[in-house]
Amino acid sequence: MLQVIQGGERSVSQNVLASSAAVAVQAGRRRTFAVISHPDAGKSTMTEALALHARVIGQAGAVHGKGDRRGTVSDWMAMEQQRGISVTSAALQFSYRDAVINLLDTPGHADFSEDTYRVLTAVDSAVMLLDAAKGLEPQTLKLFEVCRQRSIPVLTFINKWDRPGHDALALLDEIEQRIGLKPTPLTWPVGIAGNFHGVIDRRTGVFTRMQRSPGGADLAYEEEIDAEEAAEMYGAEWDTAIEELDLLAMTGADHDQDTFLAATSTPVLFGAAVANLGVRQLLDLLVELAPPPSARPTVAGPDQPVDGAFSGFVFKVQANMNRAHRDQVAFMRICSGRFERGMVVTHAGTGRPFTTKYAQQIFGQGRDTIDEAFPGDVVGLVNATALGIGDTLYTTVPVQYPALPSFPPEHFAVVRTSDTSAFKRFRRGIEQLDAEGVVQVLRSDQRGEQAPVLAAVGPMQFEVATYRLDAEFGVRVQLDHLPYEVAARTDADGREILRTESNIEVMTRVRDDALLALFPNRWRMKSVAGRHADLRLDV
Ligand code: G4P
């Protein structure tokens, strides 16, 4: 209904309209993504380089404290520093051109972890780094697969072009053959890997000559050079690049925004993160091509539009990030509306109100208070002990986002402490790790309360759990690995049936009371299933 406006005052409905339009504008500026890669492909280096370009950090080297590099913003756990890996994730926000970039950090260890997967539920796109000398590695394949399953658009950056590696066309072939994604290069290198002179922008034909700054810690030196001059400067190398471009044009490897957004093609760029070569081009393409936040599916009802009332979901919970305060932080991705620090939101699971007094932007040790945030942003809610992974928060209009999908665990171990005086702390620690999703905790009636079973997607999760029980709860534990590789959900009848089988255990997952049947391998599971027609087994 229209209302008469007097004296320049605006009606409530106009204010709502104005604020939802403002939210839509802010959401449209957001680019929320994660850099993903096989370990050592250069993820930490790329994070630094991106931040350097946005001038968040004066010189590269301040994000991850690897080796003897300066400072550390992202790696906060002592374990990460000792081992030079990133086990946890957080978000880094910076402005670039007109956009607000939210870079979500993912764990950098070799086995695929549930944590990485959860971070990928909170992004709108991903940047996949390939090491030019290694091509596709096991983790790369798995990550591409996850992005495909979730329809996450992926930009591919072929890194380390400053040193010898595979042929550019061969790398494209590998992506197409082994992943089934159509590679559509947007930049093309002049000079083979190890002899990198710059890139040709395939859409404009402009050649940008690139040189690393001394030491590589500053922005690269870039200069646009016209084709004639470049041909003279680089001779055969230039001719090769032009021939390859002709070949690409003939095979139709051109960028297509629809297939990119549908996650069936991937724009490809070449560069060297360590020397900041090609990093500006990547940022520009993220702003131009990567999708902003969009309407999100809900459990019941229509998708939630970004300019609706405030809503978000928790994709990560992390305790003890700040040793001095021993706090617990819930990381929430905002899906719709405007977030304002101090606003009272509703916890969809319990219907209880929750005050967001302590809202922060957290990246490693760096913390800034957030006063307002928009769709695509990540807010760290401090001391949010009532919040768990996957929880939805909203104001005014109830909404519920689907539970975060979980991976079936493949590694199992009984955890015990021989220090009986530490049992209370042991139990608290296990509960905490379960709440954070560091590991899944299973209860076995046969094994008893003193010997819970930890289940993980990747064995690295066990290392993190053991380390944290010691460092944060003062409990030293032993792990006895169990000879199971497959878990399938079953029901009470299934448990009875499986009692008659040897070398199979049924346990309860504490998180959701699901009954899981553990099998030594897939073959055994199939043979058992074949013998019992009524047995329910869901993998
Ligand atoms: P990650 O987070 O994916 O595990 O990889 P990270 O950035 O730590 O990079 C792994 C190694 O690769 C590092 O060398 C890093 O310097 C190097 N690197 C990253 N990008 C490039 C690049 O574009 N070109 C070249 N030549 N090397 C690159 P390191 O010796 O393990 O560590 P550091 O002593 O250099 O820190």
Side-chain angles (χ1 to χ4, degrees), residues 347-417:
H347 181 215
T350 60
R352 292 214 183 99
F354 180 85
T355 313
T356 57
K357 194 166 160 199
Y358 302 105
Q360 297 186 328
Q361 182 186 330
I362 299 179
F363 196 73
Q365 295 290 2
R367 289 182 176 212
D368 297 311
T369 297
I370 286 182
D371 288 319
E372 66 168 4
F374 294 95
D377 291 347
V378 170
V379 173
L381 297 169
V382 182
N383 280 335
T385 44
L387 299 183
I389 289 164
D391 287 359
T392 302
L393 297 168
Y394 64 82
T395 53
T396 55
V397 185
V399 52
Q400 174 95 54
Y401 293 111
L404 298 194
S406 67
F407 266 87
E410 292 172 16
H411 303 270
F412 305 87
V414 179
V415 56
R416 286 194 189 86
T417 178

Side-chain angles (χ1 to χ4, degrees), residues 19-33 91 93-94 98-104 121-125 290-296 304-313 315 332-340 343 370-379 393 395 401:
S19 71
S20 79
V23 168
V25 169
Q26 289 293 344
R29 295 174 61 209
R30 263 57 183 180
R31 297 293 180 274
T32 302
F33 71 101
Q93 185 179 70
F94 54 86
D98 278 346
V100 177
I101 309 276
N102 290 308
L103 168 51
L104 272 57
T121 64
V123 300
D124 299 311
S125 62
S294 57
R296 201 170 186 92
Q304 174 77 354
V306 288
D307 60 354
F310 164 82
S311 71
F313 71 93
F315 66 94
M332 169 182 64
R333 141 107 195 197
I334 299 179
C335 301
S336 64
R338 175 172 173 269
F339 171 83
E340 200 180 320
M343 81 200 285
I370 286 182
D371 288 319
E372 66 168 4
F374 294 95
D377 291 347
V378 170
V379 173
L393 297 168
T395 53
Y401 293 111

